[in-house]
Amino acid sequence: MSVVIETTIGDMTVDLFTEERPLACLNFLKLCKLKYYNYNLFHTIEQGFIAQTGDPTGSGDGGDSIFGVLQGPQKRFFQAENLPKIYHKNAGLISLVGAGKHLVGSQFFFTLGEDLESLDGQHCVIGEVVEGSEILRKLNEAIVDDKFRPYQDIRITHTVILDDPYADPRSFREPSRSPSPTPERLKNGRIAADEDIDDTDGKTMEEIQEMLAEREAKARATILEIVGDLPDAEMAPPENVLFVCKLNPVTTDDDLEIIFSRFGKVKTCEVIRDRKSGDSLQYAFVEFDEKKACEAAFFKMDNVLIDDRRIHVDFSQSVAKIKWRGKGRGVEGDSRSLDFNNLRSSKRENQDTRNQTSGRRRRVEYSRDRRRTRSRSRKRREISSVERMKAGEEYHHKHENRKRFSRPLSRSNDCKGSSYGEYSRERQAGYSGKYHTSKEGNGKQALHKRDKNTHARRTYEKRLSRKAGQRNLERHQRGVHSKESKEKKSRKYKKKSSPSSSSSSSSESSSETETSSESDSSSSSDDTSSTSSSVTSSSAEEHKKKKVIRMKAQNKKHEIEKHRK
């Protein structure tokens, strides 16, 4: 939504922030539509700050909002939006003047500088200038008095609304034509915008001659600009650089810098030399950091003896090293001069820098909060680790002996005296010793080693059980054990065997006992039997017993293979 504001020095086009400031933009648009701003005076212009208008009386104290115009003086001000926040970061912004507590009326101003933080939170930004940046430059260069009031009137002559998205309020009537200026609106003016000014009126002859000399100097500068010797006629040499001539050829840059540094900080000191031979041309330029130091050196260093030569000092008139940004844009590096021709690019740059600084600020705040939380959590972890270490030590001392003697090292009793059992005891003793030595250190490390000890003990138990089963199987196959040891181990295998094998073995053992009892009874009853019958009966019994042992060994072998799988 755009509005064209026509003034006595040119026209400006303004884009309004209707989405961010709907009520404030409605007030401004309806006042423009009502021709309320016609012939309003720019009553306050501060260079590099603001240019204020919008008061029909021209005094800076009047003006009503659209609601005050339609409903009476009790609605002179209204409360405008303050969110989202829009800052006065760029030149060319248009803001409604605040009267406190976000109350605004009809007065508004244009910003003529950048980073005007003193205006943030007090005045309501409603738009920006998109065309007519040269008008802002003319406003910034206007001649004003001590109260920042222009000597020559600068007025708004007409306002044209290009697009109005709001409906008209009740009792609003748009005028058919622009009204003529009233005496009340023109009474606070000084010199009319179209009035010719006599520069020589009230001046002495000396002042008139000085003025004519300035005009001649400007004419010469214009000629030099046309020829190409000067980038711009309004360009002036720097005021902090001295021209030093009549030097001795042996005088160097360092010598001059040491001599002139007693007046202030010297930024650069250069003795001009021939490009081919490198010999001194006996003149130099000395640039100071401050203007006062340059003036002091000018008054005190002229006709001073340096290296048996009396030097001559004057202010430099060279503009060779000054980077001129263009017509009306000033010198590069000069913060006082603002480039009004590139307001859009400067706004984008400021927006990018603002985004970067805000992102950097958020990252700094996030890292700061994260460091705080880390320090707090570290303290909590230190406390919890100490408590955990103490609890682990108490638990270990309390249950050390119980754990050591309650759980066997292996499943089979035959392995207690074997080398594997001794090796597991040594490993367990070693891990417990390591735990005792490390319990004075970090509690987490000790607990980790204790868990590792438990895991190692279990794995060795499995390995021992497998080895024991293999050794027993080999012994059974070789038949090296006696009858008593075979009976003992058969009982042990009966306990460890499966229900099916136990049932079969029980049936077989019952049959064996029956046969043995029958053989005993027969042997006791038949004492006079022949030797041949006793030999045949004993060989049959041994054959049956060997058969039973082979079947049990096969069952045990199958169990071990299943366990391995």
Side-chain angles (χ1 to χ4, degrees), residues 273-306:
R273 299 182 179 275
D274 186 75
R275 293 183 179 179
K276 294 182 179 179
S277 63
D279 298 335
S280 173
L281 298 179
Q282 302 179 14
Y283 69 93
F285 293 94
V286 182
E287 182 180 2
F288 290 87
D289 194 15
E290 296 179 356
K291 182 180 176 182
K292 292 181 180 180
C294 184
E295 292 176 354
F298 169 74
F299 287 113
K300 292 188 178 182
M301 291 301 295
D302 190 25
N303 203 26
V304 172
L305 190 66
I306 298 177

Side-chain angles (χ1 to χ4, degrees), residues 8-9 12 16 19 72 167 253 256 286 351 397 445 460 488 531 555:
T8 56
I9 58 176
M12 291 181 290
L16 300 179
E19 295 182 359
D253 302 343
L256 284 180
V286 182
Q351 184 69 25
H397 287 301
Q445 207 171 12
Y460 276 104
K488 289 180 181 179
T531 58
N555 292 333

